[in-house]
Amino acid sequence: MKIFSYMQEYDYEQLLFCQDEQSGLKAIIAIHDTTLGPALGGTRMWTYASEDDAVEDALRLAKGMTYKNAAAGLNLGGGKTVIIGDPKKDKNEEMFRAFGRYIQGLNGRYITAEDVGTTVQDMDLIHEETDYVTGISPAFGSSGNPSPVTAYGVYRGMKAAAKEGFGTDSLEGKTVAVQGVGNVAFTLCRHLHEEGANLVVTDINKEAVQRAVEEFGAKAVDPDDIYSVDCDIYAPCALGATINDETIPQLKAKVVAGAANNQLKETKHGDILHEKGIVYTPDYVINAGGVINVADELHGYNKDRAMKRVETIYDNVSRVFEISRRDNIPTYVAADRMAEERIERMRRSRSQFLQNGQHILSRRQNG
């Protein structure tokens, strides 16, 4: 790929290649935008087919974090790291400590966290070399497992989506089809059950399904049948791209709201949902509870403060719907616009501040 052309087209700030021969570290740090503040985004470790694939993934994920952090109202920009390697075989202490030194060298422009293929223990090793890391062990002042917080944020966002779709944010009596009942989704099911929603669940993990059936009275269906369930809300909480050409014709839900990332297989599928009158809740807005939670660690973690901030996901989701109606655009476009408008307001504010400062300096020099 033509790296500089790509970076220029999507307005990236920085791309760093980090290697340490002794430990085998091969890391790529992408910083997309720091208008709102330091770039925050996790470290992913994956067996990429090629170095170009790794670079492309880092860049794509970094841009996604810019939008996610901006939409969440955080004073943080977007960045991401990918480490090339097998997380099951290639990890060692020296690798993550070497990586921590590279992060320290950025002097706070980039703050990392765990992601696919990395763990709390890996973050603790990075923390040996730098303070610019979140998601570390609670013993170091971290927030611990982010799943319950992410789930609560999705629950709040789902209520806002219900308000848009049904005229009330009450989920009592609503039927919610939940695809995947992992850590986040299981806690989400608990919130829904406590409010009186009816649950239909599926997962390739039969034990997880059975647990939801026993604890919440959920109805279990096969994975391929979840799309055609007669329900009010479809909640994708497993793999991405489940909104696609094959599934959309099957959907009976009025609202789509769930925890999964990259729910639309292609942007055109967001257009189709809009045309069909289905209320789609953009994933990076509704599932931002985790990043909101770890961002609070930067101020000395306070759970009550973090949870209060997660409550605002309801307002953020509602704002997306307002923009969608205002501009007659699909909600996935409205979410991007909300994030871009916030970044642009800050960019103009900083530009005006600098211009005023230069004007004052010029007057003093000429006076």
Side-chain angles (χ1 to χ4, degrees), residues 75-89:
N75 295 318
L76 293 164
K80 205 79 172 187
T81 295
V82 300
I83 295 177
I84 301 173
D86 187 337
K88 295 181 180 178
K89 298 189 302 184

Side-chain angles (χ1 to χ4, degrees), residues 164 274 318-331 333-342 345:
E164 181 71 12
H274 181 67
S318 298
R319 176 62 178 153
V320 168
F321 297 141
E322 290 173 10
I323 294 172
S324 175
R325 291 193 302 272
R326 181 193 74 189
D327 298 345
N328 192 27
I329 54 176
T331 53
V333 178
D336 286 356
R337 191 163 294 180
M338 180 175 75
E340 289 163 355
E341 286 177 355
R342 182 166 180 251
R345 286 196 302 271

Side-chain angles (χ1 to χ4, degrees), residues 89-106:
K89 298 189 302 184
D90 298 332
K91 289 183 181 181
N92 56 68
E93 177 183 357
E94 295 82 1
M95 172 183 289
F96 288 99
R97 293 193 64 165
F99 178 54
R101 291 192 291 273
Y102 280 111
I103 293 176
Q104 181 64 22
L106 290 171

Side-chain angles (χ1 to χ4, degrees), residues 95-123:
M95 172 183 289
F96 288 99
R97 293 193 64 165
F99 178 54
R101 291 192 291 273
Y102 280 111
I103 293 176
Q104 181 64 22
L106 290 171
N107 295 314
R109 271 180 56 77
Y110 170 66
I111 303 162
T112 197
E114 63 185 281
D115 200 279
V116 175
T118 60
T119 66
V120 171
Q121 290 71 33
D122 299 330
M123 298 304 108

Side-chain angles (χ1 to χ4, degrees), residues 209-232:
V209 171
Q210 187 59 33
R211 187 180 170 205
V213 169
E214 292 175 355
E215 294 203 26
F216 310 129
K219 176 184 176 183
V221 298
D222 289 336
D224 290 340
D225 295 333
I226 194 69
Y227 311 107
S228 58
V229 165
D230 189 5
C231 63
D232 300 294

Side-chain angles (χ1 to χ4, degrees), residues 23-323:
S23 66
L25 174 70
K26 293 181 180 178
I28 301 164
I29 303 173
I31 298 176
H32 177 246
D33 189 285
T34 58
T35 302
L36 296 176
L40 172 66
T43 294
R44 176 169 296 191
M45 189 170 184
W46 195 253
T47 50
Y48 291 96
S50 69
E51 292 181 359
D52 280 351
D53 285 351
V55 171
E56 186 174 355
D57 201 31
L59 289 168
R60 178 182 62 84
L61 293 167
K63 184 182 177 187
M65 288 306 302
T66 294
Y67 282 75
K68 188 168 194 169
N69 292 336
L74 299 173
N75 295 318
L76 293 164
K80 205 79 172 187
T81 295
V82 300
I83 295 177
I84 301 173
D86 187 337
K88 295 181 180 178
K89 298 189 302 184
D90 298 332
K91 289 183 181 181
N92 56 68
E93 177 183 357
E94 295 82 1
M95 172 183 289
F96 288 99
R97 293 193 64 165
F99 178 54
R101 291 192 291 273
Y102 280 111
I103 293 176
Q104 181 64 22
L106 290 171
N107 295 314
R109 271 180 56 77
Y110 170 66
I111 303 162
T112 197
E114 63 185 281
D115 200 279
V116 175
T118 60
T119 66
V120 171
Q121 290 71 33
D122 299 330
M123 298 304 108
D124 286 348
L125 291 173
I126 293 171
H127 184 54
E128 293 287 335
E129 303 289 343
T130 183
D131 288 331
Y132 301 119
V133 55
T134 60
I136 53 180
S137 296
F140 296 115
S142 167
S143 56
N145 180 9
S147 296
V149 184
T150 302
Y152 183 66
V154 174
Y155 167 67
R156 293 290 300 164
M158 186 181 290
K159 287 178 70 65
K163 179 77 175 292
E164 181 71 12
F166 308 113
T168 173
D169 67 5
S170 173
L171 298 174
E172 184 177 3
K174 294 289 188 292
T175 298
V176 184
V178 183
Q179 183 196 44
V181 277
N183 291 335
V184 171
F186 189 83
T187 305
L188 171 64
C189 286
R190 185 181 302 281
H191 290 301
L192 297 174
H193 175 68
E194 289 174 352
E195 188 167 337
N198 304 309
L199 297 171
V200 181
V201 300
T202 195
D203 199 297
I204 58 174
N205 184 338
K206 300 302 182 185
E207 292 181 0
V209 171
Q210 187 59 33
R211 187 180 170 205
V213 169
E214 292 175 355
E215 294 203 26
F216 310 129
K219 176 184 176 183
V221 298
D222 289 336
D224 290 340
D225 295 333
I226 194 69
Y227 311 107
S228 58
V229 165
D230 189 5
C231 63
D232 300 294
I233 300 171
Y234 167 59
C237 296
L239 298 175
T242 65
I243 305 296
N244 53 55
D245 289 338
E246 290 73 34
T247 61
I248 289 177
Q250 301 180 54
L251 292 178
K252 296 182 174 65
K254 172 70 174 177
V255 170
V256 175
N261 288 310
N262 305 315
Q263 295 170 18
L264 303 175
K265 185 172 183 179
E266 299 176 54
T267 56
K268 72 173 185 179
H269 297 119
D271 298 328
I272 295 171
L273 292 181
H274 181 67
E275 292 166 3
K276 292 173 71 72
I278 296 174
V279 176
Y280 168 64
T281 316
D283 43 48
Y284 71 77
V285 181
I286 194 173
N287 69 14
V291 71
I292 292 172
N293 194 53
V294 298
D296 195 80
E297 295 177 21
L298 302 175
H299 309 287
Y301 185 67
N302 180 289
K303 183 176 182 180
D304 290 340
R305 180 177 61 201
M307 294 304 290
K308 186 175 181 180
R309 190 66 178 267
V310 171
E311 290 269 353
T312 65
I313 288 177
Y314 184 106
D315 301 320
N316 296 339
V317 169
S318 298
R319 176 62 178 153
V320 168
F321 297 141
E322 290 173 10
I323 294 172

